[in-house]
Amino acid sequence: VPSLDVAAVRADFPILARQVHGRPLVYLDNAATSQTPRQVIEVFDDYYGRYNANIHRGLHTLADEATAAFEGTRETVRAFLNAAESREIIFTRGTTEAINLVAGAWGRANLTPGDEVLVSLLEHHSNIVPWQLLASELGIVIKVIPVDERGVLDLDAYRALFTARTRLVAVNHVSNAFGTVNPVGEMAAIAHAEGALILVDGAQATPHQKVDVRDIDADFYAFSGHKVYGPTGAGVLYGKAELLEAMPPWQGGGEMIKSVSFETPTTFAAIPHKFEAGTPAIAEVIALGAALKWVDALGLEAIGAWEQRLLAHATARVSRIDGLRILGTAPGKAGVLSFVVDGAHSQDIGLLIDQLGVAIRTGHHCAQPLLTHFGVDATCRASFAAYNTLEEVDVFAEALERVIGMVR
Ligand code: PMP
């Protein structure tokens, strides 16, 4: 496995030099949002300082340059996901908008009362609530794929949930709350054999492992730029071309039309532009491209392997803490450490550990059904990225011990 030069990686992140409450920042909330390397930050200066213009419509130099950079990013994303064609890449604000696009366009056009959508108990609210909204609108039925005590999806139960009415499986590739890596390729094969489609929420997978949408045979695959070292405001929906072509538009506006008339029916642009109404987040999309190139230069294999070392070290270190219980113990899970501590509220731990410069996440992680199932309403979550160090893990573990001593 290739290794990372973590010191060199860290040097790319200006924010890692800052202090919080007088101590060096230890940033372990990467599953919520990753930090941004200067190669990505610089895109904003370059874009707004040199070639800020609206895309696709202008004939002038700046518009050409902006369009080329924006459309060039589509090709970068295509290669990143190993999609067959760049027109299968739609830019969205993020994973949430990508899933809502599928629910709104594909769902409304294809689902009828009584049709079934399977979602897993591991889902983020963004892969639950759009289907619930559709259920109240269309009368579709949501069925839940259960998990075992480790937070691993029960594939036998999954198989048993299919009926003649099952139309879609909506599942995350990696759970943000527990780090479970789901066998989405196998799940896709099962879904397809049953005549259903599969939408994969890849928000937590793309930062940690190489994703190949054709190998998975995903029908739709969504991710967010800000979790993969890119900016907020730019994300991706991948969809198979024939599915996207058959779908009606989702939002109406400029950019997504072929011709508009009051006399004859308005006609729509070809994919991907049919699904990109209005002026997109141009600088953010270009910056997302820079982030994916930055990731590719390091290599996801090296990043994932390093995060596994951090996770192993953190797991060993916090396991010594009396009364600490780790939630989510799936084999091969991603770099996410979720835990609760007897006699110490997660919220208190989060607030106090911040005083020591350590940023972790506390709360329900937008996965309330999962946490409720495990009998908790909040956990503490440390999640790792390429720039974290073993020393930071030690600082975190020592700070955690101190904080627990204070609140118990
Ligand atoms: N799915 C998963 C698994 C996530 O972790 C997140 C973000 N926490 C989302 C979806 C939503 O992503 P965004 O808020 O960027 O749209």
Side-chain angles (χ1 to χ4, degrees), residues 96 122-129 172 176 201 365-367:
T96 302
L122 290 171
E123 293 320 297
H124 187 278
H125 295 163
S126 64
N127 205 15
I128 298 174
V129 181
N172 60 40
N176 65 309
D201 166 357
H365 316 299
C366 300

Side-chain angles (χ1 to χ4, degrees), residues 2 11 143 223 249 316 392 398:
K143 290 173 147 186
F223 73 94
E392 285 183 315
E398 278 155 33

Side-chain angles (χ1 to χ4, degrees), residues 24-352:
L25 167 68
V26 174
Y27 186 78
L28 298 178
D29 193 16
N30 296 290
T33 211
S34 50
Q35 294 304 341
T36 317
R38 62 184 162 73
Q39 292 87 339
V40 174
I41 299 171
E42 282 164 5
V43 168
F44 289 89
D45 232 40
D46 188 37
Y47 173 78
Y48 286 110
R50 239 172 28 84
Y51 64 103
N52 177 28
N54 214 325
I55 53 169
H56 297 138
R57 23 194 138 178
L59 284 176
H60 56 80
T61 301
L62 269 55
D64 278 350
E65 289 177 10
T67 303
F70 184 89
E71 290 301 330
T73 298
R74 211 184 295 278
E75 171 55 24
T76 303
V77 175
R78 182 209 64 72
F80 185 75
L81 295 177
N82 195 32
E85 302 176 71
S86 62
R87 66 192 181 116
E88 297 179 310
I89 304 300
I90 296 161
F91 290 116
T92 65
R93 280 196 300 127
T95 306
T96 302
E97 190 174 77
I99 296 170
N100 276 277
L101 193 166
V102 176
W106 179 86
R108 283 211 192 95
N110 289 283
L111 298 176
T112 55
D115 277 348
E116 294 164 2
V117 172
L118 308 187
V119 304
S120 92
L121 190 57
L122 290 171
E123 293 320 297
H124 187 278
H125 295 163
S126 64
N127 205 15
I128 298 174
V129 181
W131 308 113
Q132 290 179 327
L133 294 174
L134 209 57
S136 48
E137 185 185 321
L138 298 179
I140 62 166
V141 177
I142 296 168
K143 290 173 147 186
V144 183
I145 310 161
V147 298
D148 69 13
E149 68 293 343
R150 301 167 301 170
V152 174
L153 289 182
D154 180 341
L155 284 195
D156 290 330
Y158 169 62
R159 278 192 195 85
L161 283 173
F162 284 90
T163 72
R165 299 300 306 267
T166 309
R167 305 294 311 282
L168 179 77
V169 176
V171 66
N172 60 40
H173 195 166
V174 173
S175 152
N176 65 309
F178 284 7
T180 311
V181 180
N182 293 314
V184 288
E186 193 181 343
M187 295 178 78
I190 294 167
H192 293 149
E194 298 280 355
L197 300 182
I198 187 163
L199 174 148
V200 181
D201 166 357
Q204 297 291 342
T206 42
H208 310 297
Q209 65 182 79
K210 189 79 197 126
V211 169
D212 183 328
V213 290
R214 280 188 283 176
D215 185 51
I216 295 167
D217 200 12
D219 297 294
F220 300 105
Y221 195 98
F223 73 94
S224 297
H226 69 96
K227 292 183 199 283
V228 61
Y229 307 99
T232 56
V236 168
L237 174 69
Y238 158 83
K240 286 181 182 166
E242 66 271 23
L243 289 170
L244 294 175
E245 277 174 338
M247 279 156 58
W250 180 46
Q251 293 179 332
E255 302 284 340
M256 51 76 69
I257 54 88
K258 199 184 293 167
S259 73
V260 178
S261 157
F262 288 116
E263 284 72 43
T264 55
T266 287
T267 55
F268 303 113
I271 62 167
H273 300 111
K274 180 169 75 174
F275 295 108
E276 292 178 358
T279 302
I282 302 167
E284 285 80 356
V285 165
I286 298 167
L288 167 59
L292 299 183
K293 285 179 186 158
W294 183 88
V295 166
D296 271 343
L298 289 187
L300 276 162
E301 215 194 328
I303 293 174
W306 177 242
E307 290 166 346
Q308 286 299 311
R309 277 198 64 190
L310 296 167
L311 175 67
H313 184 53
T315 304
R317 197 61 188 68
V318 306
S319 297
R320 289 195 233 144
I321 298 174
D322 185 42
L324 183 145
R325 180 162 62 96
I326 294 171
L327 285 94
T329 51
K333 73 172 183 172
V336 171
L337 185 67
S338 231
F339 57 91
V340 291
V341 182
D342 287 344
H345 285 297
S346 297
Q347 237 68 285
D348 294 340
I349 293 174
L351 282 171
L352 289 168

